[in-house]
Amino acid sequence: MKAMKQTAANQDAPKSQDDSRLRKFFIDEVKDIYWAEKHILKALPKMKKAAACEELQNAFQTHLEQTEGQIERLDKVFELLNEKAQGKKCEAMEGILKEGESIIDETEDGTATRDVGLILAAQKVEHYEISTYGGLAQLARTLGEDEIAELLEETLEEEKETDEILTGIAEDDVNYEAVEEAA
Ligand SMILES: [Fe+2]
Ligand SMILES: [Fe+2]
């Protein structure tokens, strides 16, 4: 963490050599989140369909549209890196999304309990994204890639907002309703 903090002040860092080890690592991580976003895009319609509460359905719909834009931003990032847009399997996201699917399988349709589970699963996705985009934006600055950093920061803000919206839905409605539900 210390090294990252030091570079935060260094906004005018020169662009790194194309073949630097850090740059290669960065590109690999961008491929990882690209794979993740594409799979999130496939999972969101299923989550929307599974949700009982309309507010939650709307939140998933909004984030679905945002995710399309986030993939476009990553396409732009690849372009700026002179790299082919390509995903690399993200084992962590695969696991998180599988967990979300099992929540749908294990809960009953139309229940607030399922919505609680969906929110929990979706927030795990958002937290993974927040840490990834936060780290990558910082790394882009270190590499002197400010334009890329800005693109990643825009997405980071959307992920944070989504996380807050989900917390709001859980706190205001869904959790209380779920408590009332019979086992
Ligand atoms: Fe995303
Ligand atoms: Fe997200």
Side-chain angles (χ1 to χ4, degrees):
M1 274 323 272
K2 256 190 180 164
M4 284 199 172
K5 270 191 185 138
Q6 275 171 0
T7 50
N10 187 9
Q11 300 280 326
D12 300 320
K15 284 203 181 188
S16 65
Q17 299 280 323
D18 277 357
D19 60 348
S20 85
R21 214 172 280 177
L22 188 61
R23 192 181 173 88
K24 279 186 184 147
F25 173 76
F26 178 77
I27 292 167
D28 246 38
E29 292 297 304
V30 173
K31 288 179 179 172
D32 180 284
I33 193 69
Y34 192 66
W35 189 97
E37 291 288 15
K38 292 221 159 176
H39 286 77
I40 293 165
L41 191 66
K42 283 188 207 155
L44 278 165
K46 293 182 213 163
M47 293 171 84
K48 183 190 163 191
K49 202 173 155 222
C53 132
E54 205 185 323
E55 237 185 312
L56 186 56
Q57 290 170 2
N58 292 342
F60 286 145
Q61 179 59 37
T62 302
H63 202 47
L64 175 69
E65 286 155 29
Q66 279 176 329
T67 301
E68 284 169 355
Q70 294 174 353
I71 291 171
E72 279 171 28
R73 269 186 214 123
L74 289 174
D75 283 325
K76 185 93 210 296
V77 167
F78 280 115
E79 214 180 292
L80 289 165
L81 289 165
N82 281 322
E83 289 284 327
K84 192 171 149 246
Q86 198 179 19
K88 186 178 151 230
K89 190 175 178 185
C90 172
E91 307 276 357
M93 188 53 72
E94 188 183 44
I96 294 171
L97 292 175
K98 262 192 194 150
E99 206 179 290
E101 275 175 29
S102 68
I103 285 171
I104 298 176
D105 291 342
E106 287 159 17
T107 52
E108 279 199 43
D109 202 15
T111 60
T113 303
R114 175 180 283 178
D115 283 357
V116 167
L118 286 171
I119 291 173
L120 207 63
Q123 285 192 295
K124 287 182 190 179
V125 172
E126 295 316 309
H127 283 233
Y128 179 87
E129 291 182 300
I130 290 166
S131 53
T132 302
Y133 281 109
L136 284 180
Q138 191 55 59
L139 202 48
R141 296 258 178 228
T142 307
L143 291 167
E145 298 283 0
D146 288 342
E147 207 180 333
I148 291 177
E150 277 158 29
L151 288 165
L152 298 171
E153 281 158 4
E154 276 176 53
T155 296
L156 176 62
E157 286 314 307
E158 290 175 355
E159 311 294 17
K160 284 184 186 169
E161 267 172 38
T162 303
D163 182 48
E164 279 168 26
I165 289 168
L166 291 169
T167 299
I169 298 171
E171 286 177 355
D172 293 346
D173 295 300
V174 170
N175 286 0
Y176 297 106
E177 284 170 35
V179 171
E180 306 286 315
E181 263 169 14

